[in-house]
Amino acid sequence: MHTLQAGGKRIRPVFVLLAGKFGNYDIHVMKNVAVALELIHMASLVHDDVIDDADLRRGQPTVKSKWDNKIAMYTGDFVFALAIELMTNIGNPLAHKILANTIVEVSVGEIQQIKDKYRFNQNLRDYLRRIKRKTALLIAVSCQLGAIAADVEESIHKKLYRFGYYVGMSYQIIDDILDFTSTEKELGKPAGGDLLQGNVTAPALYAMENNQIRKEIEKVHEKMEPSEITKIISLIKQSGAIEKSFTLSDLYLQKALAELNGLPVTKAKKTLNDIAKVIGRRKF
Amino acid sequence: MHTLQAGGKRIRPVFVLLAGKFGNYDIHVMKNVAVALELIHMASLVHDDVIDDADLRRGQPTVKSKWDNKIAMYTGDFVFALAIELMTNIGNPLAHKILANTIVEVSVGEIQQIKDKYRFNQNLRDYLRRIKRKTALLIAVSCQLGAIAADVEESIHKKLYRFGYYVGMSYQIIDDILDFTSTEKELGKPAGGDLLQGNVTAPALYAMENNQIRKEIEKVHEKMEPSEITKIISLIKQSGAIEKSFTLSDLYLQKALAELNGLPVTKAKKTLNDIAKVIGRRKF
């Protein structure tokens, strides 16, 4: 209840339900998929907060800070199991194959993310592969599984998958920008945390194209003084890296919108278009 | 690979495969279920070692000790996801419902186990409910899912479920006895660890029927001196509690063997009978 009431944007269930509108929409079927996808996301956040040693999430204490790492681990396991249980209400075996494969990929991504911490000789491709697994895959699959649960034909559920994938990439890049540009109040957690935690994201990667800034960023370590990290964040913000990151995010947004072109004209299509644009231009 | 190579008795996959012999046994189908059940067990051990802060398992360093708690958490998540992915090769939706429900129950049991630590005013029923979720359910379901994957009729896969459940209860009670009576070398981890960790098992519960021993056991806490805990373990061993625990385990073993009576006479039935007896009488 604590984790549920902390809120969130619930974009995964929204995408599930909208994708279902392209087929035989039965809310008693759809809700299983919508809730399952939100729970899988929630379970992964509970586990992520252990890795990131995060005390705040959505402005609320995390499970690991309110209780401890062990409770957080089993809470994640439990919520994850509930999600799988809900999904068993879906008859189509393809839905289970897609979801199971996605969870494997997301898990691999989580281990990769630990390995990549404080590794400053990585490139944009490493970053994109990481955010694909961290965020884009689950949003892509939310769209696809919503469609599959409503018996939508293959060419359309694959289009919805790609739409979700591109929206997810755009979304995560903006999330990573906001970690540099937002205030603690807006984020619901301390700003600049990603870099301090060794999580090398788009703004840092673009900023490192400048050799002098690269040398500063390479000095970042876990126990760095707040004043020093603030200085490095200022350098990154002044380097033009934020603007380049927004351009990258927008590229994915445009690809997402292009995927919608081939879909039948429905109210759901218009809504997906509107949501994608809001996500691609959000400021917090 | 580290976790896999540490070994184990592999009783869950053995039960899956033997249960399949009561129906249309196709190894290409059965192996998915057999491997999935062993992986789920393995994933839960990796997570349990975080909770128990265990450095050794099967005589090998645990993932949490060789790497750390965070790696152990995601390794568990990954192995668990692999198991679910393998299971999607099984067409029967009933198999998925049973497995998902079991994993939910096992997760609830893991949280309950944390809550019950160092709670000495619990009774044998609390203990039995805990070991049901901790051990017996997954063994019961190994038998049942092996049968379901081989299209065995309901009355038989339910019998196999109950057989597995009783064997699992018997097995875990003996496991809990051996934690008091075995050497570190036999266990592959330090002896007497359960009580020191606040895990109140059958021998401790029976020993607490004696008020003087109860008072000693109630003093147990995490930071207790090894010499003091050794003294308490001796008291428990001298109290007759070990013998009572063996009797309890044997009661479950007899119930398991009785379930086999109604099954068709096959080589698999004979083997299940033999394995149950070995498990019910094992000394390490």
Side-chain angles (χ1 to χ4, degrees):
Chain A
M1 285 306 295
H2 171 81
T3 306
L4 195 63
Q5 288 170 347
K9 292 174 282 292
R10 316 290 192 212
I11 64 165
R12 288 156 197 83
V14 165
F15 280 149
V16 168
L17 298 177
L18 285 169
K21 292 286 185 182
F22 290 89
N24 303 316
Y25 185 96
D26 177 348
I27 185 62
H28 301 295
V29 174
M30 299 306 301
K31 70 178 180 187
N32 292 296
V33 183
V35 175
L37 267 296
E38 182 67 11
L39 290 179
I40 288 170
H41 174 58
M42 196 186 274
S44 79
L45 293 184
V46 173
H47 279 184
D48 283 353
D49 288 337
V50 176
I51 299 301
D52 298 342
D53 208 17
D55 290 327
L56 284 179
R57 160 85 66 183
R58 295 166 175 168
Q60 297 289 324
T62 57
V63 176
K64 71 132 268 161
S65 86
K66 193 165 177 188
W67 289 274
D68 61 28
N69 280 351
K70 294 170 181 183
I71 293 282
M73 191 181 69
Y74 281 149
T75 301
D77 287 0
F78 169 69
V79 172
F80 182 53
L82 275 186
I84 301 284
E85 192 179 34
L86 277 172
M87 278 298 291
T88 61
N89 292 311
I90 303 302
N92 190 336
L94 179 62
H96 303 295
K97 282 203 184 283
I98 290 171
L99 186 64
N101 181 260
T102 303
I103 299 168
V104 170
E105 284 296 314
V106 170
S107 305
V108 170
E110 282 165 337
I111 293 169
Q112 191 61 49
Q113 186 169 332
I114 298 177
K115 284 182 166 179
D116 281 351
K117 281 199 173 192
Y118 301 105
R119 195 169 70 75
F120 294 109
N121 65 338
Q122 58 182 284
N123 58 31
L124 203 62
R125 262 182 63 188
D126 297 317
Y127 165 73
L128 294 175
R129 194 183 305 124
R130 215 160 53 233
I131 67 171
K132 175 183 176 178
R133 284 174 169 150
K134 179 195 174 99
T135 302
L137 267 179
L138 205 59
I139 295 180
V141 160
S142 297
C143 295
Q144 187 175 28
L145 292 182
I148 289 174
D151 297 322
V152 167
E153 65 173 271
E154 189 180 342
S155 69
I156 296 187
H157 73 61
K158 286 196 165 166
K159 252 191 175 314
L160 285 163
Y161 172 92
R162 290 192 299 269
F163 164 78
Y165 168 73
Y166 291 133
V167 167
M169 294 297 281
S170 171
Y171 178 87
Q172 186 58 49
I173 295 164
I174 292 192
D175 221 54
D176 295 338
I177 295 170
L178 294 176
D179 193 73
F180 285 93
T181 61
S182 294
T183 63
E184 173 160 353
K185 200 180 163 196
E186 287 167 333
L187 285 176
K189 61 185 175 185
D194 280 343
L195 189 60
L196 187 58
Q197 304 266 344
N199 194 6
V200 186
T201 60
L205 287 164
Y206 281 125
M208 282 197 286
E209 289 174 0
N210 174 317
N211 264 328
Q212 259 181 311
I213 302 181
R214 167 178 283 270
K215 276 176 198 152
E216 292 302 315
I217 291 176
E218 282 172 349
K219 290 178 191 161
V220 170
H221 59 90
E222 214 169 341
K223 310 270 181 215
M224 201 167 212
E225 290 294 324
S227 64
E228 281 189 86
I229 194 91
T230 306
K231 211 187 86 192
I232 293 174
I233 288 168
S234 293
L235 284 175
I236 293 172
K237 284 160 91 168
Q238 288 157 23
S239 72
I242 300 298
E243 293 71 17
K244 284 181 188 169
S245 303
F246 268 120
T247 303
L248 181 66
S249 169
D250 199 56
L251 200 88
Y252 281 108
L253 175 63
Q254 296 312 321
K255 280 173 175 256
L257 298 176
E259 287 295 337
L260 292 179
N261 281 337
L263 293 176
V265 180
T266 61
K267 199 178 153 207
K269 175 175 167 170
K270 172 78 171 61
T271 310
L272 285 175
N273 188 79
D274 293 348
I275 293 176
K277 282 184 180 164
V278 170
I279 285 176
R281 281 156 203 173
R282 76 203 165 96
K283 292 283 167 285
F284 57 89
Chain B
M1 286 306 296
H2 171 81
T3 307
L4 195 65
Q5 288 171 346
K9 291 175 281 294
R10 317 290 192 210
I11 65 164
R12 290 155 196 82
V14 165
F15 279 150
V16 168
L17 298 177
L18 286 169
K21 291 285 186 182
F22 290 89
N24 303 316
Y25 186 96
D26 176 348
I27 185 63
H28 301 295
V29 174
M30 299 306 301
K31 69 178 181 187
N32 292 295
V33 183
V35 175
L37 267 295
E38 182 68 10
L39 289 180
I40 288 171
H41 174 59
M42 196 185 274
S44 79
L45 293 184
V46 173
H47 279 185
D48 284 353
D49 287 338
V50 176
I51 299 301
D52 297 342
D53 208 17
D55 290 326
L56 282 179
R57 160 86 66 185
R58 295 166 175 168
Q60 296 290 323
T62 58
V63 177
K64 71 131 266 161
S65 86
K66 192 166 177 186
W67 289 273
D68 60 28
N69 279 351
K70 294 170 182 183
I71 293 282
M73 191 181 69
Y74 281 149
T75 301
D77 287 0
F78 169 68
V79 173
F80 182 55
L82 275 187
I84 301 285
E85 193 179 32
L86 277 172
M87 277 298 290
T88 62
N89 292 311
I90 303 303
N92 191 337
L94 179 62
H96 303 294
K97 282 201 185 286
I98 290 171
L99 186 64
N101 181 260
T102 303
I103 300 168
V104 170
E105 285 295 314
V106 170
S107 305
V108 170
E110 283 165 335
I111 293 170
Q112 191 62 49
Q113 186 168 331
I114 298 177
K115 284 182 163 178
D116 282 350
K117 281 200 172 190
Y118 301 105
R119 194 169 71 74
F120 294 108
N121 66 337
Q122 59 182 281
N123 57 34
L124 203 63
R125 262 182 62 188
D126 297 315
Y127 165 73
L128 294 175
R129 194 183 305 123
R130 215 161 51 233
I131 66 171
K132 175 182 174 179
R133 285 176 169 147
K134 181 195 173 95
T135 302
L137 268 179
L138 204 59
I139 295 181
V141 161
S142 297
C143 294
Q144 188 175 26
L145 293 183
I148 289 174
D151 298 322
V152 168
E153 65 172 89
E154 189 179 341
S155 68
I156 295 187
H157 72 63
K158 287 198 164 165
K159 252 191 175 316
L160 285 163
Y161 171 93
R162 289 192 299 271
F163 165 78
Y165 167 73
Y166 292 134
V167 167
M169 295 297 281
S170 171
Y171 177 88
Q172 186 58 48
I173 294 164
I174 292 191
D175 221 54
D176 294 337
I177 294 170
L178 294 177
D179 193 73
F180 284 93
T181 60
S182 294
T183 62
E184 174 160 353
K185 200 180 163 198
E186 285 168 335
L187 285 175
K189 60 185 176 186
D194 281 343
L195 189 59
L196 187 58
Q197 304 266 344
N199 194 7
V200 187
T201 59
L205 287 163
Y206 281 125
M208 283 197 285
E209 289 173 0
N210 175 317
N211 264 328
Q212 260 181 311
I213 302 182
R214 166 177 285 270
K215 277 177 198 152
E216 293 301 315
I217 290 177
E218 282 171 348
K219 289 179 193 161
V220 170
H221 60 90
E222 214 169 340
K223 311 270 181 214
M224 203 167 209
E225 289 294 324
S227 63
E228 282 188 86
I229 196 88
T230 306
K231 211 186 87 192
I232 294 173
I233 288 168
S234 292
L235 285 175
I236 294 171
K237 284 160 91 169
Q238 289 157 23
S239 72
I242 300 297
E243 292 70 18
K244 284 181 188 168
S245 302
F246 269 120
T247 304
L248 180 66
S249 170
D250 199 56
L251 200 88
Y252 281 108
L253 175 63
Q254 296 311 320
K255 280 173 176 254
L257 298 176
E259 286 297 335
L260 291 179
N261 281 337
L263 293 177
V265 180
T266 60
K267 200 180 152 204
K269 175 175 167 170
K270 172 78 171 62
T271 310
L272 285 174
N273 188 79
D274 291 349
I275 293 176
K277 282 183 179 164
V278 170
I279 285 176
R281 280 156 203 172
R282 75 203 165 97
K283 291 285 168 282
F284 57 89

